[in-house]
């Protein structure tokens, strides 16, 4: 892909380094460099999560992890559009990732759950009441069991800088909506257990935008947990691969005439080695649109295309993840915990104008 502010070296830069490496590798003129100021999202409001000391939920899928959701009041007095965000972890050693969800409190809870027939507001109140001594409620996956989510306008992981939506697009947030923030706390390191965190989500809103945006967050590896035989990564191997396909209907295509892909964010955990996203017609040849050659968990970004990539109702996505399990003695299961693995597709689309 051709990305804004891409970190890849140009052909000319690579030629310079290659020439230097093939020569005597002489030292150049020494200079003193000053690091630039860290970027900051301007024109935003600060929303803080409650202070909390996370506690591991335990089990195979979150042995050293807690997923906690908090309802945050954005103070909106009128409908607005979510157009950018920045996350400032209060305790970076604890915060593995952050997601923000827009939830309509009057909407009915997700079908097929024990809360079916109740409103989102009732469900969130009941979940919060199950653990009254701590703020928030446990929430694997999305905003908690049974909570129906309208959209996920903020996705953050270590390395992410401020995200400003491209092309004057935004995600609608009605003044009656609730912003639910999910934080995955990582307690793998014994030294951080017992410590607290209060994270800041900085949000930029606009009164109007040219087009509405949606985020698609899917994970084919996690999906295998709900099959008769979940995928496991064999231990002791330098290169283990997993590939899955995201069909057009899971992106809303078919109901929508087309979507424009604006940005992608790759996500795996600490065994990740390489990742590639390809697109093309259903059942046909695919073209690479994003590739990570050397995965680093602490360098995750939302990569924005210089020119949007058009998806039609026959477009599917193929995600290929490679892992290094050479240090593992036991099979690695997919899951939400830091010591499990993921193969996530995070895609930001613009809807057709007028929708």
């Amino acid at each position: 892909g051709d990305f804004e502010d891409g970190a890849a070296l140009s052909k000319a830069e690579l030629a310079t380094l290659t020439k230097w490496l093939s020569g005597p590798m002489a030292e150049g003129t020494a200079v003193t460099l000053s690091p630039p100021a860290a970027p900051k999202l301007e024109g935003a409001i600060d929303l803080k999560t409650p202070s909390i000391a996370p506690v591991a939920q335990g089990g195979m899928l979150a042995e050293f992890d807690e997923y906690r959701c908090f309802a945050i009041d954005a103070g909106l007095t009128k409908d607005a559009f979510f157009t950018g965000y920045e996350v400032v972890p209060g305790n970076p050693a604890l915060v593995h990732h952050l997601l923000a969800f827009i939830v309509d409190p009057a909407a009915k809870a997700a079908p097929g759950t024990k809360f079916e027939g109740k409103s989102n507001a009732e469900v969130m109140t009941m979940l919060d009441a199950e653990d009254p001594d701590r703020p928030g409620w446990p929430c694997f996956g999305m905003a908690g069991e049974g909570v129906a989510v309208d959209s996920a306008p903020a996705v953050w992981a270590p390395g992410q800088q401020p995200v400003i939506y491209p092309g004057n697009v935004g995600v609608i947030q009605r003044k009656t909506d609730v912003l639910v923030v999910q934080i995955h706390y990582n307690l793998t390191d014994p030294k951080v257990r017992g410590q607290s965190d209060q994270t800041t989500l900085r949000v930029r809103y606009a009164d109007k935008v040219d087009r509405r945006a949606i985020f698609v967050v899917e994970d084919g590896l996690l999906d295998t947990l709900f099959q008769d035989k979940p995928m496991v990564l064999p231990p002791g191997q330098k290169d283990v691969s997993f590939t899955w396909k995201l069909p057009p209907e899971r992106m809303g295509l078919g109901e929508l005439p087309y979507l424009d892909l604006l940005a992608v964010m790759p996500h795996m955990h600490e065994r990740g080695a390489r990742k590639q996203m390809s697109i093309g017609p259903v059942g046909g040849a695919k073209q690479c649109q994003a590739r990570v050659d050397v995965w680093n968990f602490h360098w995750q970004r939302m990569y924005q295309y210089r020119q949007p990539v058009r998806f039609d109702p026959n477009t599917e996505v193929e995600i290929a993840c490679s892992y290094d399990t050479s240090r593992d003695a036991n099979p690695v299961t997919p899951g939400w915990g830091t010591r499990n693995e993921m193969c996530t597709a995070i895609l930001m689309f613009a809807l057709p104008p007028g929708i």
Side-chain angles (χ1 to χ4, degrees):
D2 184 17
F3 300 100
E4 295 282 356
D5 301 320
L9 297 177
S10 68
K11 290 182 179 179
E13 290 167 332
L14 288 170
T16 298
L17 290 174
T18 302
K19 181 179 178 180
W20 180 78
L21 283 167
S22 62
M25 294 187 287
E27 182 179 358
T29 303
V31 296
T32 300
L33 298 176
S34 298
K40 185 176 181 180
L41 183 66
E42 301 296 339
I45 62 172
D46 286 0
L47 306 175
K48 293 184 180 294
T49 62
S51 179
I52 188 172
V55 178
Q57 289 168 273
M60 280 184 61
L61 305 181
E63 185 178 0
F64 300 101
D65 309 82
E66 180 172 25
Y67 276 68
R68 201 77 180 172
C69 277
F70 312 98
I72 306 294
D73 182 9
L76 296 182
T77 58
K78 59 182 179 180
D79 296 352
F81 290 92
F82 200 113
T83 63
Y85 63 92
E86 177 185 1
V87 173
V88 183
N91 188 337
L94 284 173
V95 181
H96 176 285
H97 80 234
L98 178 147
L99 299 175
F101 305 107
I102 294 175
V103 174
D104 178 358
K108 293 299 182 183
T113 68
K114 66 181 181 181
F115 299 108
E116 189 169 355
K118 298 186 180 298
S119 70
N120 277 332
E122 291 174 311
V123 174
M124 290 187 290
T125 298
M126 294 172 69
L127 291 173
D128 203 356
E130 290 178 3
D131 193 2
D133 296 330
R134 303 178 71 223
W137 60 88
C139 55
F140 277 135
M142 299 288 272
E145 182 183 1
V147 180
V149 169
D150 282 356
S151 56
V155 183
W156 178 92
Q160 180 82 272
Q161 295 182 352
V163 174
I164 300 172
Y165 292 2
N168 195 27
V169 303
V171 176
I172 185 69
Q173 182 176 337
R174 295 174 292 270
K175 66 178 181 180
T176 54
D177 288 337
V178 175
L179 192 65
V180 176
V181 173
Q182 178 206 81
I183 297 185
H184 172 187
Y185 294 108
N186 173 16
L187 299 159
T188 305
D189 184 351
K191 292 183 292 186
V192 304
R193 297 171 194 169
Q195 295 182 13
S196 298
D197 170 73
Q198 184 178 42
T199 284
T200 300
L201 170 64
R202 310 189 74 237
V203 180
R204 195 175 75 174
Y205 289 102
D207 291 334
K208 60 181 181 179
V209 294
D210 292 338
R211 297 171 67 179
R212 291 176 60 176
I214 61 170
F215 282 80
V216 173
V217 182
E218 298 280 352
D219 194 311
L221 186 61
L222 282 184
D223 286 348
T224 70
L225 289 172
F226 306 101
Q227 299 174 1
D228 292 336
K229 190 176 181 180
M231 168 70 180
V232 295
L233 308 179
Q237 297 191 22
K238 193 69 177 176
D239 194 344
V240 180
S241 297
F242 176 78
T243 300
W244 64 281
K245 292 179 180 178
L246 178 62
E249 59 270 19
R250 298 259 300 262
M251 296 176 279
L253 291 162
E255 296 180 12
L256 297 166
Y258 67 88
L259 289 169
D260 286 329
L261 179 64
L262 303 179
V264 296
M265 179 179 169
H267 181 67
M268 298 184 287
H269 285 179
E270 295 175 350
R271 295 176 185 82
R274 297 180 311 282
K275 188 169 186 175
Q276 179 166 309
M277 184 192 80
S278 305
I279 70 167
V282 174
K286 306 294 187 288
Q287 180 181 10
C288 178
Q289 278 294 341
R291 187 180 74 244
V292 177
D293 289 327
V294 182
W295 172 255
N296 185 330
F297 179 83
H298 298 282
W299 185 358
Q300 300 185 60
R301 285 180 52 188
M302 185 74 70
Y303 294 91
Q304 298 181 4
Y305 289 96
R306 293 185 189 275
Q307 295 294 327
V309 181
R310 178 64 56 91
F311 279 42
D312 64 34
N314 191 44
T315 304
E316 67 179 358
V317 179
E318 183 175 274
I319 303 290
C321 294
S322 297
Y323 308 92
D324 181 354
T325 64
S326 57
R327 296 184 179 180
D328 292 289
N330 299 308
V332 179
T333 61
W336 293 271
T338 305
R339 291 193 175 178
N340 301 100
E341 268 305 336
M342 290 184 169
C343 182
T344 311
I346 303 170
L347 312 174
M348 180 184 183
F349 291 105
L351 297 176
I355 296 180

